[in-house]
Amino acid sequence: MTKNYVRLDKLSQAAYLESVVFESDAILAGQFVELGTLVEGDYELTHATKAAPGSAGKVIVAPVTIDHGYHDYDPTDQSVKAGKAARAIHIEKGLQLSINAEAAPGVKVGDDVTVGADGLGFKKAGVNDSKIGKVIAIDALRNVGDLVVVRF
């Protein structure tokens, strides 16, 4: 199982949230998405697809689970089943989030980052990549491990 954990560190009270759905795959925390059409009959739910690596990711999935249904859940398993709605956040200047280090391999403090492999997490931005944020710290969280802190 791949770890996927997102912590929202700084989010505007006016942040624009979107309800998104993948029809055939689970949606993982830290997945950048491209928005598609509205789901027929539901004007609050939008079809989404994975963003391309190196692209200017504009929307990132950060699911919220209020009750896992049991006490010994794995906090690094943040995902939403295919066909179910997930929360996604439109990226705006000043947003700051932390993501598990496994979803941002090889990045270090001061690196400019872009959308990672398969649209998940981050990678160091190359010359031809869209720079969407900067790594400002490496943090740690009990039961999760190392976190990469990114400011957009």
Side-chain angles (χ1 to χ4, degrees), residues 37-95:
T37 59
L38 293 175
V39 172
E40 188 172 335
D42 189 339
Y43 294 105
E44 294 294 324
L45 190 57
T46 303
H47 291 286
T49 56
K50 294 177 182 178
S55 67
K58 295 187 180 0
V59 182
I60 189 168
V61 173
V64 174
T65 305
I66 295 173
D67 183 1
H68 290 273
Y70 48 93
H71 297 291
D72 61 345
Y73 67 92
D74 181 357
T76 67
D77 183 20
Q78 294 183 350
S79 62
V80 176
K81 294 179 183 175
K84 299 291 184 184
R87 176 183 71 174
I89 299 166
H90 286 259
I91 302 296
E92 57 188 354
K93 187 174 183 173
L95 171 65

Side-chain angles (χ1 to χ4, degrees), residues 14 17 38 50 52 68 78 85-86 92 100 105 116 121 125 129 139-140 142 144:
L17 307 179
L38 293 175
K50 294 177 182 178
H68 290 273
Q78 294 183 350
E92 57 188 354
N100 59 292
D129 293 330
D139 196 3
R142 183 185 304 171
V144 173

Side-chain angles (χ1 to χ4, degrees), residues 131-148:
K131 295 174 182 143
I132 60 172
K134 182 177 282 293
V135 177
I136 60 169
I138 303 294
D139 196 3
L141 183 63
R142 183 185 304 171
N143 298 323
V144 173
D146 288 340
L147 298 174
V148 174

Side-chain angles (χ1 to χ4, degrees), residues 53-56 114 123-131:
S55 67
T114 188
K123 68 176 185 173
K124 185 174 180 175
V127 175
N128 296 322
D129 293 330
S130 294
K131 295 174 182 143

Side-chain angles (χ1 to χ4, degrees), residues 22 27-35 48-53 55-61 88-89 91 95 97 99 103 113-123 132-133 150 152:
F22 279 6
I27 303 176
L28 304 177
Q31 177 73 58
F32 283 92
V33 296
E34 296 290 334
L35 301 177
T49 56
K50 294 177 182 178
S55 67
K58 295 187 180 0
V59 182
I60 189 168
V61 173
I89 299 166
I91 302 296
L95 171 65
L97 62 79
I99 192 165
V113 292
T114 188
V115 175
D118 204 25
L120 182 63
F122 300 97
K123 68 176 185 173
I132 60 172
V150 176
F152 295 89

